[in-house]
Amino acid sequence: MTRSRTTAKQAGTRFETQHVTWLAERLNDDRIERRRQSGANDRGDVTGVRTIAGARTVIELKDYGGTVHVADWLRQAEVEAANDDAPIGVVVFKRRGITDPAAQAVLMTTETFARLLEGGVSSAPVIIDDPHTVIADVLP
């Protein structure tokens, strides 16, 4: 039996909900949630995920019944990460016959993997207080 568009959308929604619930509990972070689709400027399926260094991470979730579309999915994750100004964009895809969200697979480029290991690239400036200024502000 092949999937209709309706059953495919239902499976995707179910997979997204299950995975987001698991991820929020696993990381103990109630900011993680499903994101609304936004057409051409889509910013991924999941919001609120951060690296250990605080960099935003875009997650695109896919349930294609065991079929994997590497090139298309990686391109989509990279575009959506750029739309979100996030340095990390990954694809989490459902493995055929596996229902446990902790046992699904993650797809990313090796550059994304290196960024992830570094904690993400921060575009925010690092501000270090000048100790002389801080002391001067405290003194009468």
Side-chain angles (χ1 to χ4, degrees):
M1 182 173 143
T2 58
R3 278 187 177 174
S4 68
R5 180 165 168 77
T6 302
T7 59
K9 288 183 89 166
Q10 289 170 345
T13 299
R14 189 171 39 253
F15 181 66
E16 288 175 11
T17 302
Q18 180 187 39
H19 196 78
V20 166
T21 300
W22 172 81
L23 193 59
E25 289 174 3
R26 173 64 179 79
L27 298 177
N28 192 30
D29 192 337
D30 61 1
R31 298 172 296 178
I32 298 172
E33 59 187 22
R34 285 183 67 215
R35 186 180 257 161
R36 293 181 133 188
Q37 292 180 342
S38 52
N41 295 320
D42 197 6
R43 300 182 312 158
D45 295 325
V46 181
T47 187
V49 178
R50 303 276 179 167
T51 68
I52 196 163
R56 280 197 319 283
T57 301
V58 167
I59 300 176
E60 185 64 25
L61 293 158
K62 300 291 185 184
D63 180 357
Y64 274 53
T67 303
V68 181
H69 301 276
V70 175
D72 291 341
W73 291 356
L74 285 176
R75 192 173 313 110
Q76 185 178 1
E78 290 171 355
V79 166
E80 292 178 5
N83 289 344
D84 197 43
D85 291 327
I88 308 292
V90 302
V91 178
V92 172
F93 63 95
K94 184 170 184 328
R95 295 169 56 203
R96 187 176 184 95
I98 307 293
T99 58
D100 180 2
Q104 302 310 329
V106 178
L107 180 63
M108 68 184 87
T109 65
T110 50
E111 174 60 27
T112 299
F113 183 57
R115 284 186 197 152
L116 187 61
L117 292 174
E118 292 173 332
V121 178
S122 176
S123 60
V126 175
I127 299 171
I128 301 172
D129 291 327
D130 178 356
H132 301 291
T133 304
V134 172
I135 293 170
D137 290 342
V138 174
L139 294 175

